[in-house]
Amino acid sequence: MTLHYTFTSAESIKLGIQVFSAGYVALGWTETADEMIGSEAVIGWIDGESVVSVNTYLLTSKSSSGIEEGGFEITDASASRTGNALLVEWTRPLTVDDNLEGSQNMLWSLSSDASKSYHDIGR
């Protein structure tokens, strides 16, 4: 997994995550380390018909029914595949409440399936 980011202006940050997976990749932020419930995440995948899906979600439980569309705003979302490498990128506006100093609690997961199912490759 490779994570990259750049501040595109004083008001936004562009993020990208590249993984080797045929399914989805998710990257989330949480206030408490290792706590999936209550987190917000970006989940991206390309289905078998080459339809790109990149969106934000609220993680309210550890089951697929607890993955609810919503959360922070993103723009310029995209996903592309080169061989078995999946690259998901997006831009996120920064807000006054964003803490850009110190460490960030992050979660990630991968799945071999494009549906928002259990992360069978890694987390």
Side-chain angles (χ1 to χ4, degrees), residues 3-4 7 9 19 46 50 53 68 81 84-85 88 90 92 94 100 104-105 117 121:
L3 173 67
H4 64 265
F7 292 96
S9 70
V19 296
I46 302 173
S50 299
S53 295
E68 301 173 5
R81 186 173 296 286
N84 196 32
V88 176
W90 65 95
R92 179 176 179 264
L94 297 172
L100 301 178
Q104 300 285 316
N105 294 315
S117 60
I121 296 177

Side-chain angles (χ1 to χ4, degrees), residues 85-117:
L86 172 64
L87 174 63
V88 176
E89 296 180 300
W90 65 95
T91 300
R92 179 176 179 264
L94 297 172
T95 67
V96 172
D97 296 331
D98 288 328
N99 179 5
L100 301 178
E101 297 185 21
S103 60
Q104 300 285 316
N105 294 315
M106 299 175 77
L107 307 167
W108 62 273
S109 67
L110 304 174
S111 176
S112 60
D113 183 2
S115 67
K116 295 182 297 281
S117 60

Side-chain angles (χ1 to χ4, degrees), residues 10-58:
E11 292 86 30
S12 65
I13 184 171
K14 183 175 178 109
L15 296 113
I17 186 168
Q18 183 175 19
V19 296
F20 292 94
S21 169
Y24 73 77
V25 60
L27 183 65
W29 289 263
T30 181
E31 291 190 24
T32 307
D34 299 325
E35 270 302 315
M36 179 179 147
I37 298 172
S39 301
E40 294 180 283
V42 174
I43 303 175
W45 67 90
I46 302 173
D47 74 8
E49 303 298 317
S50 299
V51 175
V52 172
S53 295
V54 180
N55 217 330
T56 58
Y57 296 88
L58 302 172

